[in-house]
Amino acid sequence: MSMRRRKELIEVARTRKAVIIEDDYDGEFRHEGGALEALCMRDAADVTFYVGTFSKSMLWSLRLGFVVAPKWAVSTLAIAKSCLDFQSPGPIQLGVASFITEGHLARHVRKMRRIYKERRELLLAILRSEMAEWLRPVASHYGVHVCALDHAGLNMRSVVEAAAEEGVMVHSLNRYYYGQETRSGLVIGYGIADLAEIKRGLAILRNVLKSIRSP
Ligand SMILES: Cc1ncc(COP(=O)(O)O)c(C=O)c1O
């Protein structure tokens, strides 16, 4: 979002007495252009709830996230959290806090940025060369997944099912729609696949795309 749009959004939130939920769930992994400054760091801290997670930067199974909330909302949020599930496990929170303060998280994120960038580049290179007949990657610089749109009119649900039978798990874009689906494609994650697995997985996916195309 451009700086002008950001300022407008903050103004709209203030005049309408609304709040902005800034869900920066994969902001640690912006692969081009450096990190973007969060809205809550600017002069919008009074209307912004900055939401983050350790699912991408550490482990999905930690089930731990965080909110940087305006001061006026902190006690209400704490009450709401207690009503939902009482609290996240104390020992895990303390462990993660030490991991951060001792500098391990920053070091881990720096290392993983390099690794994910390599994986992403390999994935994009294969998509653009060997799989261009069916899929076109969406330009995006964030996260540990790539979205690729189908331009061959394939049934992506069938592609996903056939790939799963061969041991390759990808998601069809349709699972992210609430209403009418306007585009079809695949979401391909690379958080747990190394370079060799990406090559192997995409070779399998390519065979699936071929077979679905010519039944
Ligand atoms: C839009 C969005 N927000 C937040 C998250 C993080 O969710 P969690 O912390 O429950 O893993 C995700 C996970 O992929 C996401 O897609």
Side-chain angles (χ1 to χ4, degrees):
M1 199 185 279
S2 69
M3 203 48 84
R4 186 179 59 81
R5 297 268 294 160
R6 285 168 165 236
K7 281 191 181 144
E8 283 171 5
L9 179 64
I10 296 164
E11 275 320 301
V12 169
R14 289 218 176 101
T15 50
R16 306 227 172 147
K17 296 198 184 315
V19 295
I20 302 165
I21 312 281
E22 189 171 17
D23 183 7
D24 196 15
Y25 70 100
D26 58 5
E28 291 90 351
F29 301 112
R30 186 165 192 255
H31 304 292
E32 278 165 47
L36 274 187
E37 191 180 56
L39 274 178
C40 72
M41 298 286 285
R42 300 191 67 79
D43 56 354
D46 57 322
V47 283
T48 310
F49 289 66
Y50 178 89
V51 183
T53 180
F54 295 104
S55 291
K56 309 284 177 194
S57 58
M58 288 180 71
L59 285 176
W60 178 83
S61 51
L62 278 176
R63 308 314 306 137
L64 211 56
F66 57 91
V67 186
V68 181
K71 276 205 180 80
W72 56 262
V74 171
S75 57
T76 311
L77 267 186
I79 293 167
K81 173 73 176 155
S82 312
C83 292
L84 279 175
D85 58 7
F86 194 56
Q87 64 178 32
S88 301
I92 290 182
Q93 292 191 65
L94 285 174
V96 171
S98 304
F99 197 72
I100 296 170
T101 53
E102 290 167 17
H104 302 301
L105 180 62
R107 204 160 36 244
H108 174 69
V109 166
R110 273 198 301 277
K111 177 179 140 196
M112 293 316 292
R113 261 190 211 133
R114 204 177 55 245
I115 291 174
Y116 289 151
K117 194 166 191 280
E118 274 176 13
R119 293 181 187 177
R120 180 173 178 275
E121 281 167 6
L122 175 70
L123 175 50
L124 286 174
I126 297 176
L127 283 174
R128 287 184 183 132
S129 55
E130 293 164 37
M131 299 169 84
E133 196 179 324
W134 306 280
L135 298 171
R136 186 176 304 122
V138 174
S140 151
H141 304 306
Y142 273 101
V144 285
H145 67 274
V146 163
C147 175
L149 296 179
D150 151 56
H151 60 88
L154 301 186
N155 180 335
M156 283 298 149
R157 287 188 182 87
S158 309
V159 170
V160 168
E161 279 168 25
E165 277 171 25
E166 301 293 327
V168 175
M169 195 174 141
V170 288
H171 286 147
S172 168
L173 204 55
N174 74 279
R175 81 200 285 266
Y176 299 98
Y177 277 91
Y178 274 127
Q180 181 67 33
E181 294 164 25
T182 52
R183 287 192 281 188
S184 107
L186 294 177
V187 179
I188 308 173
Y190 52 86
I192 55 163
D194 64 20
L195 298 179
E197 285 166 330
I198 289 173
K199 279 188 195 158
R200 201 165 55 243
L202 288 185
I204 293 171
L205 187 58
R206 187 170 190 277
N207 285 338
V208 167
L209 288 165
K210 261 187 183 166
S211 66
I212 297 270
R213 190 176 164 80
S214 44

